[in-house]
Amino acid sequence: MAFAGQSAATTARPTLAADSTIKSASPAVAQFVVLTRPVKISIVYGETVLPAGLRLAVVSTDSSTVRVQYLNDVQALPVSAVRFESGPTLVAAPTASPAIKTIAPPPSVPPPISVSLRPGWDTQMQGGSTTMRELQGLLSPHAQAGIELGEAGIPIYAGVRYLMEAKEAANALGLGGTIPSRIKVATPGFPRDTLDYIIYDGTFEGGFNHLELVTDAAGRVVCLEFVNQHVRRVGNDPPGGWDTYNFVNTRLRASPTTRAHDASHRRGDVIQIETRFFQKEPRRGWDQREETKLLVPVPFARLILHCIQPGMANR
């Protein structure tokens, strides 16, 4: 038989003053997406392709679209092209005070630098099959076709790095005080309507008298070419078998009294294409009229090979 006070003690279970003392607050969630395939977007300079694997912060989302932060702008991407990831923000344990203190997230990491391309950069060009075939033959032993827009920072030559600002590259080469000329690149197989080359005159290593910085739509260096136009005697039987002898300026031999010889090799992450152009002079024999050395980072070589594919598909 229970005493009178005992019944009250067993039926009235004590309740905790506030359930929040044992339940942790739900953490705030910082949301990101990772691209599962390349996605083409519009940017201030034209168009570019975001590579698969790129991680971006989410601004907002709906049933079909996710808006993300990229290059100080908001871009809309299809939900089907991304994988969502969540990163919890640290939250302090609850106290008697109703206020919850949060630890500030780390500063945002700037987006990676990538090649800037104009609309239609990989559309098929009319003509130019000879140059594209020879360019493909020189690059394909060292790289495969693909859309690879990142890999900034690859050393190209003497302090010049892949996707470095052109002015910064000129300063690294000691050319900051010179006034260069800027010309559009129209080489078949290079990204279409996208590139310029900046010419610097001078005396460079190996006897070259011109240096050309090839830049993308944002003015970043994608490759570099040396040109030597000093004429010199070479003997009676120079090598030949090629037609294109300057790929940035798109120069081809056009006479049976001329010859061109091309070669390529890879050094680390840079492919070097060397060309020589010869002309036969009456009574004197053969003269070398031009020599070039083109330095192409492997990621850009893959883009070139990607651009060549549609142009060579039906030829």
Side-chain angles (χ1 to χ4, degrees), residues 61-80:
T61 184
D62 56 35
S63 59
S64 61
T65 305
V66 56
R67 282 164 286 280
V68 298
Q69 190 73 32
Y70 179 75
L71 293 181
N72 299 320
D73 198 4
V74 176
Q75 296 285 347
L77 307 178
V79 170
S80 61

Side-chain angles (χ1 to χ4, degrees), residues 136-288:
Q136 186 179 50
L138 291 163
L139 293 176
S140 58
H142 313 293
Q144 294 181 340
I147 300 177
E148 188 170 329
L149 303 179
E151 301 296 326
I154 292 173
I156 301 176
Y157 173 82
V160 178
R161 302 184 306 277
Y162 184 49
L163 298 181
M164 173 187 275
E165 294 283 349
K167 289 183 179 179
E168 187 182 352
N171 290 334
L173 293 167
L175 303 171
T178 59
I179 301 175
S181 302
R182 183 184 294 269
I183 303 173
K184 282 287 183 187
V185 175
T187 304
F190 278 41
R192 190 174 183 178
D193 299 329
T194 290
L195 308 178
D196 297 309
Y197 66 96
I198 308 169
I199 305 174
Y200 295 90
D201 295 324
T203 302
F204 302 99
E205 180 183 359
F208 295 95
N209 61 332
H210 299 295
L211 183 148
E212 299 169 352
L213 294 177
V214 182
T215 61
D216 69 358
R220 298 189 182 97
V221 176
V222 294
C223 54
L224 180 153
E225 182 176 68
F226 291 99
V227 181
N228 179 7
Q229 294 176 325
H230 293 121
V231 178
R232 67 181 181 88
R233 290 291 308 278
V234 295
N236 294 324
D237 193 23
W242 298 77
D243 289 299
T244 310
Y245 64 91
N246 184 319
F247 285 97
V248 172
N249 305 150
T250 323
R251 294 187 181 133
L252 289 85
R253 71 181 194 90
S255 166
T257 60
T258 60
R259 291 183 183 179
H261 178 69
D262 299 350
S264 68
H265 57 273
R266 178 171 172 172
R267 293 181 177 176
D269 291 323
V270 174
I271 299 168
Q272 182 169 304
I273 296 176
E274 298 169 350
T275 73
R276 289 191 291 162
F277 173 67
F278 308 97
Q279 183 168 332
K280 191 173 185 179
E281 299 295 335
R283 302 180 202 165
R284 197 170 73 225
W286 291 89
D287 289 343
Q288 178 176 292

